[in-house]
Amino acid sequence: MRYGHFDDKRREYVISRPDTPLPWINYLGCEDYFGIISHTAGGYSFYRDARLRRLTRYRYNNVPFDTGGRYIYLRDNVDGSFWSPSWQPTRHAVEDYSCRHGMGYSIIGSTFHHIKAETLYFVPLGENLEIWRLLITNLRRKPARLSVFSCIEFCLWDAQDDATNFQRNFSTGEVEIDRGVIYHKTEYRERRNHFAYFACSVKPAGYDTQRDTFLGPYRNWDRPVVVERGRSANSRAHGWAPIGSHHVRVNLKAGEIREIVFVLGYHENSDDRKFTRAGSQTINKVTVKPTIARYLKHNAVERAYTELGRHWDRLLGVYQAKTPDRHTDRMINIWNAYQCMATFNMSRSASFYESGIGRGLGFRDSNQDLLGFVQMVPERARERILDLAATQLVTGGAYHQYQPLTKRGNNDIGSNFNDDPLWLVLGVAAYLKETGDWAILDEPVPYDNQPGSARPLYEHLERSIQYTLDRLGPHGLPLIGRADWNDCLNLNCFSDTPGQSFQTTTNKDGKTAESVFIGGMFVLAANELAAIAGRRGSEINAQGYREAALKMSATVGTSGWDGAWFLRAYDDFGNKVGSNECVEGKIFIEPQGFCIIAGIGLENGRAGMALDSVNRHLATTHGIMLQQPAFSQYYLHLGEISSYPPGYKENAGIFCHNNPWIMIAETMVGHGDRAFDYYRLINPSAREKLVALHRCEPYVYAQMIAGKDAPTHGEAKNSWLTGTAAWNYVAITQHILGIRPTYEGLMVAPVIPAAWKGFSAIRMFKGVRYNILVKRRGRGNKVHLSVEGRKVDGNVIPPPPRGTTTVAVVAVLD
Ligand code: BGC
Ligand code: NOJ
């Protein structure tokens, strides 16, 4: 079974059947206005914050799946038949259905009764609005008399409240209709200065803004009475559920094409210009009308669409590779980079699996996401780093999450995830290597956003390291707190009450349970900070951090090694977790990855041993599982990890996020073949042929693929918003292809499969374009570098003279 194919030239995935196993989505928007769009036009839009400024309504976990969207109905006014060109919501047997998910846009269309209709959806750069450009073609030999009905359902802004507080919501909805433009202004009368608008390029024959009127009693979106009847009711919403629907009549000659543009947007007025005049309750539309008028015009739409394409040329042009494997090329050059930008924009907030209500932006998540997008948008990475650091606490700890709109730490979840602060060091180090912007370290940044508390960013990093040192356990390993990277290994939780949050329940004093994973991470982060300190001229500090790293490394060596792999943790009783002594959960992936990335075990052969153990106990044909054996029952002292049935999520699922840690570790011991094999196993494009099993989108990574203990081994879940995007990008581009930024210059250190004859890549780095050709001579990984025809010692390209725009590099592998 095939649902579509890649069109690499156009950088699109083309879905050719609407009945995909799950909604296959895409994202619209790059700056402040965003939308999720499924391949059948489902989804919703929001301004900056999916919870607090949601424009349209979406019904998660609803049947049929994927309800609520950017719907267009077509109706034949002669015989009264009607259908949806995007298949949903009417689900007629349309012909030639296709959805092209591209870079920041989707084009969805089909043909029905010889009427072809196709809608391009996108958000113009720099605007808080989305365009739907509908093209209708009459393929009949005779004229067609048609009606078009648009429809969206407005969300009453706060998505949480919208889904819960009906006693109020059913009485607050308000709209205005002004020359065919529908304005949604619920709560505008009081504390909101924003409103939404929905406009149409053709003067509509009618409109509707009341859901019940549009649908008719006890009807669903597949059979709205207004569409069936072919005439809008011109309903005006007073309370209940406001919607926006236009009715446009279109008469087409044989072969004629018509374009209709719909614009859905968000606008804010200042306090003093909120209403038309003092005492009025009418929205002042002076500032928004010109924008609406502009985007209802063909040329403006065309221009904005072209600009969006150029924007993506620039972003993707930062790293382009040509390797012997087309799945690798496709992911590096298009989809993996694209997914990294989605995680930059959304963190874990709004997807088909994340409601946009709960999570906000994760501290550790955003720092890791940064590793995958910093090369594309360094200035925005800078802003993100400063925002994140401003949610750090004076203790050096960090709020686990923050709300993007307010940029404040999220009190519901709070702090005490003891790995969190260390990710900031890794994020900043990546930023510095990419940009050389050392000035960022002197930027004053507050703690917990408290006025007057600002200290240089560098000091935040110092406190991050100190935070771990202040919290060491009985073996000298870092105390785990609520959890480390694995949110579900809750060693201080001991929860026996249904519904309690595993994330925040803490029944133990936290003085015993230790994390070997944080131990490894600490070694890496302390060494990174040492390198930064040294470059800032503080050799004494650098020395101190190096020593702290060495000491922790030794501690991991004595108390964190289990004989054939790294231990995972010590629990609240001081017992081992992730040890051969355990009955279940004997070996975990995370410490094998991170300890080796930190360099632990490279000198004494333990790294190789641990990786062999991973291969033996954790690797499957669908990727590497998180741990084995899976937990067969709930363990009070381990927490959420054992709440999942075996094979899912953190309980022995293939948690794709940390597969690349093993790939990187494999490159560190020189195993290009194994690193690449692991890379291929979870590469979404390579898994396209398994789609019936995989089920998620074949163009982006999913958080999880069910492990071997699950009845659905190989099935993916939680696509799009996952740290998997950044880490796989880092693993393939920086470690397998080996092109990575360092303080000294761009490094070329490929660890590729033995059978590869080489590859070429283009990397933009600090404004210079590097054309890199890698050729294999022997079977090893030793690099002989020549730059502009001259031999260079080592594997780092020295920075070229000022003004150089292009540098030619050849690396021969021996
Ligand atoms: C999931 C984790 C996630 C956590 C926090 C858990 O249920 O399994 O992957 O990080 O919730 O939302
Ligand atoms: C998803 C969370 O967003 C991430 O922070 C965490 O590391 C993983 N789950 C593993 O639990």
Side-chain angles (χ1 to χ4, degrees):
M1 174 68 78
R2 276 244 152 168
Y3 295 91
H5 65 272
F6 286 92
D7 183 340
D8 293 339
K9 259 218 166 78
R10 290 178 51 155
R11 299 186 301 218
E12 291 172 342
Y13 189 81
V14 188
I15 301 163
S16 44
R17 299 179 54 122
D19 56 343
T20 53
L22 293 163
W24 284 0
I25 70 163
N26 191 15
Y27 286 92
L28 309 177
C30 323
E31 291 144 328
D32 291 326
Y33 185 101
F34 295 103
I36 292 182
I37 184 161
S38 77
H39 68 294
T40 58
Y44 61 94
S45 301
F46 58 94
Y47 171 76
R48 288 177 69 175
D49 187 313
R51 170 171 173 180
L52 299 173
R53 292 285 190 283
R54 192 176 297 197
L55 272 77
T56 57
R57 200 172 272 159
Y58 189 65
R59 290 182 176 74
Y60 283 98
N61 202 7
N62 194 42
V63 174
F65 248 20
D66 191 22
T67 308
R70 302 170 179 84
Y71 292 144
I72 286 174
Y73 300 87
L74 287 188
R75 180 177 186 277
D76 189 323
N77 289 337
V78 177
D79 65 9
S81 61
F82 63 89
W83 70 98
S84 315
S86 60
W87 192 59
Q88 286 255 58
T90 68
R91 295 186 299 282
H92 278 79
V94 291
E95 290 162 33
D96 297 330
Y97 162 87
S98 97
C99 166
R100 293 181 164 267
H101 279 324
M103 305 287 105
Y105 66 88
S106 292
I107 304 172
I108 309 175
S110 64
T111 301
F112 190 71
H113 291 175
H114 302 285
I115 302 295
K116 181 177 166 194
E118 177 183 279
T119 314
L120 160 70
Y121 298 92
F122 74 102
V123 175
L125 293 172
E127 300 290 358
N128 294 324
L129 56 87
E130 66 188 66
I131 308 269
W132 313 1
R133 187 183 69 187
L134 169 67
L135 291 178
I136 314 175
T137 312
N138 178 11
L139 302 175
R140 299 175 184 169
R141 292 219 185 87
K142 53 178 192 194
R145 288 202 286 131
L146 306 171
S147 278
V148 178
F149 293 90
S150 63
C151 196
I152 46 152
E153 188 178 6
F154 290 112
C155 173
L156 305 186
W157 301 113
D158 179 340
Q160 171 75 39
D161 189 63
D162 184 68
T164 48
N165 196 8
F166 306 116
Q167 62 79 25
R168 169 178 159 83
N169 299 344
F170 283 156
S171 294
T172 54
E174 286 190 289
V175 296
E176 280 179 33
I177 298 114
D178 182 341
R179 293 164 206 240
V181 183
I182 296 163
Y183 295 86
H184 173 229
K185 61 169 199 173
T186 300
E187 294 188 342
Y188 190 76
R189 60 169 56 243
E190 23 119 353
R191 294 154 296 172
R192 293 188 188 277
N193 282 16
H194 45 264
F195 55 89
Y197 55 87
F198 190 32
C200 170
S201 63
V202 178
K203 188 169 181 292
Y207 59 85
D208 275 290
T209 63
Q210 187 75 281
R211 186 181 68 200
D212 289 4
T213 313
F214 180 76
L215 294 180
Y218 295 95
R219 286 179 179 237
N220 215 322
W221 296 94
D222 58 349
R223 216 163 48 91
V225 73
V226 158
V227 178
E228 191 177 276
R229 203 171 51 211
R231 206 172 349 100
S232 290
N234 296 338
S235 58
R236 185 175 284 265
H238 299 287
W240 295 113
I243 60 158
S245 170
H246 308 94
H247 173 204
V248 175
R249 289 217 168 86
V250 187
N251 292 333
L252 296 177
K253 292 191 220 107
E256 191 180 345
I257 305 180
R258 183 72 50 84
E259 173 179 297
I260 303 172
V261 178
F262 296 94
V263 177
L264 171 65
Y266 170 95
H267 193 73
E268 277 176 19
N269 274 336
S270 55
D271 265 342
D272 54 335
R273 305 184 70 187
K274 210 170 144 171
F275 299 107
T276 45
R277 57 186 159 72
S280 142
Q281 288 294 301
T282 307
I283 301 172
N284 174 0
K285 308 184 182 75
V286 173
T287 51
V288 75
K289 277 192 168 166
T291 312
I292 299 178
R294 174 154 15 109
Y295 285 103
L296 291 177
K297 295 212 183 73
H298 172 84
N299 286 348
V301 171
E302 204 51 43
R303 209 174 311 123
Y305 183 49
T306 310
E307 269 170 29
L308 183 65
R310 291 214 186 101
H311 173 72
W312 280 103
D313 290 343
R314 266 193 312 277
L315 292 178
L316 301 180
V318 173
Y319 198 128
Q320 289 285 304
K322 205 161 172 350
T323 75
D325 179 56
R326 74 193 151 97
H327 300 294
T328 303
D329 293 359
R330 180 178 282 155
M331 292 312 290
I332 294 179
N333 299 340
I334 307 171
W335 291 100
N336 195 358
Y338 183 60
Q339 187 178 1
C340 286
M341 287 302 291
T343 57
F344 161 63
N345 288 324
M346 303 286 138
S347 186
R348 306 295 170 270
S349 72
S351 75
F352 182 67
Y353 306 85
E354 302 278 8
S355 68
I357 291 176
R359 306 269 316 263
L361 272 70
F363 191 90
R364 80 157 84 86
D365 294 335
S366 292
N367 274 302
Q368 289 172 87
D369 293 346
L370 198 133
L371 309 176
F373 68 73
V374 58
Q375 71 288 355
M376 290 186 276
V377 283
E379 53 312 318
R380 301 183 77 184
R382 184 181 215 272
E383 186 190 348
R384 179 62 56 84
I385 286 171
L386 298 176
D387 286 348
L388 283 165
T391 66
Q392 192 175 23
L393 304 163
V394 277
T395 58
Y399 279 102
H400 195 48
Q401 293 159 3
Y402 78 96
Q403 287 306 127
L405 194 69
T406 59
K407 296 190 173 178
R408 292 294 159 115
N410 194 339
N411 271 319
D412 300 345
I413 299 288
S415 164
N416 295 336
F417 293 78
N418 284 352
D419 63 318
D420 270 338
L422 294 175
W423 293 110
L424 182 66
V425 180
L426 303 187
V428 172
Y431 173 79
L432 289 174
K433 288 175 195 167
E434 182 68 39
T435 62
D437 170 23
W438 290 89
I440 193 176
L441 295 172
D442 299 317
E443 281 290 331
V445 183
Y447 288 98
D448 193 8
N449 281 296
Q450 293 309 311
S453 67
R455 303 289 306 151
L457 176 65
Y458 180 73
E459 191 189 292
H460 285 250
L461 305 186
E462 293 190 297
R463 289 198 194 187
S464 294
I465 295 291
Q466 194 56 43
Y467 179 86
T468 305
L469 293 174
D470 291 346
R471 286 164 186 74
L472 298 179
H475 298 87
L477 288 163
L479 290 171
I480 197 167
R482 282 181 173 161
D484 59 25
W485 173 87
N486 190 332
D487 278 328
C488 300
L489 187 61
N490 313 123
L491 302 182
N492 293 303
C493 177
F494 286 69
S495 173
D496 56 10
T497 307
Q500 250 176 2
S501 158
F502 287 111
Q503 298 273 292
T504 54
T505 305
T506 310
N507 289 326
K508 297 290 160 180
D509 66 7
K511 299 251 163 50
T512 310
E514 299 167 288
S515 163
V516 176
F517 169 82
I518 302 184
M521 217 190 142
F522 177 85
V523 172
L524 183 66
N527 279 327
E528 289 285 11
L529 192 56
I532 292 171
R535 276 179 179 76
R536 282 188 31 117
S538 177
E539 197 33 53
I540 294 188
N541 277 345
Q543 185 62 21
Y545 291 125
R546 274 196 295 270
E547 276 163 16
L550 268 176
K551 187 155 175 232
M552 183 64 75
S553 195
T555 307
V556 170
T558 41
S559 302
W561 179 251
D562 195 53
W565 55 78
F566 292 98
L567 265 183
R568 178 63 177 88
Y570 288 93
D571 67 18
D572 184 59
F573 306 104
N575 295 330
K576 293 174 182 172
V577 178
S579 157
N580 201 24
E581 291 167 17
C582 302
V583 178
E584 298 185 331
K586 285 171 183 284
I587 171 170
F588 281 65
I589 193 172
E590 307 99 310
Q592 322 313 325
F594 247 79
C595 291
I596 298 172
I597 291 177
I600 306 171
L602 286 179
E603 274 155 27
N604 56 16
R606 284 181 174 180
M609 233 198 269
L611 289 169
D612 284 344
S613 299
V614 167
N615 191 258
R616 193 165 324 121
H617 300 291
L618 300 179
T620 76
T621 49
H622 296 289
I624 313 166
M625 294 176 291
L626 196 144
Q627 105 273 9
Q628 275 294 299
F631 297 114
S632 60
Q633 54 175 284
Y634 177 55
Y635 293 106
L636 193 65
H637 66 292
L638 299 181
E640 186 172 0
I641 191 165
S642 57
S643 74
Y644 289 110
Y648 293 110
K649 296 276 283 183
E650 283 85 345
N651 188 13
I654 295 156
F655 216 91
C656 298
H657 183 133
N658 40 37
N659 278 227
W661 298 348
I662 299 298
M663 298 169 206
I664 297 171
E666 289 286 4
T667 65
M668 293 182 71
V669 297
H671 295 162
D673 278 314
R674 236 202 221 162
F676 187 71
D677 283 350
Y678 287 145
Y679 174 74
R680 267 302 287 266
L681 290 180
I682 62 166
N683 178 315
S685 164
R687 292 179 64 78
E688 192 193 15
K689 55 179 190 299
L690 303 176
V691 67
L693 176 65
H694 184 85
R695 300 183 84 227
C696 279
E697 295 92 331
Y699 40 91
V700 288
Y701 285 97
Q703 180 198 57
M704 196 258 313
I705 296 174
K708 79 164 167 52
D709 302 282
T712 58
H713 182 34
E715 179 191 14
K717 259 182 223 160
N718 295 15
S719 56
W720 277 101
L721 302 186
T722 158
T724 309
W727 276 108
N728 273 287
Y729 191 80
V730 168
I732 187 71
T733 62
Q734 299 192 17
H735 296 274
I736 298 179
L737 301 192
I739 301 172
R740 62 178 174 272
T742 71
Y743 295 121
E744 288 77 31
L746 197 60
M747 180 183 280
V748 184
V751 185
I752 53 176
W756 280 20
K757 298 216 158 56
F759 66 90
S760 62
I762 298 169
R763 175 65 153 92
M764 298 295 303
F765 180 58
K766 297 189 176 168
V768 178
R769 178 189 156 117
Y770 292 87
N771 295 327
I772 303 169
L773 184 64
V774 175
K775 295 197 251 181
R776 207 186 242 312
R777 195 161 62 197
R779 289 175 68 82
N781 305 310
K782 170 119 191 53
V783 174
H784 305 274
L785 206 61
S786 51
V787 177
E788 293 292 323
R790 271 187 300 278
K791 285 206 173 348
V792 165
D793 285 341
N795 56 10
V796 176
I797 311 165
R802 260 192 114 86
T804 309
T805 54
T806 311
V807 174
V809 181
V810 177
V812 174
L813 289 188
D814 236 351

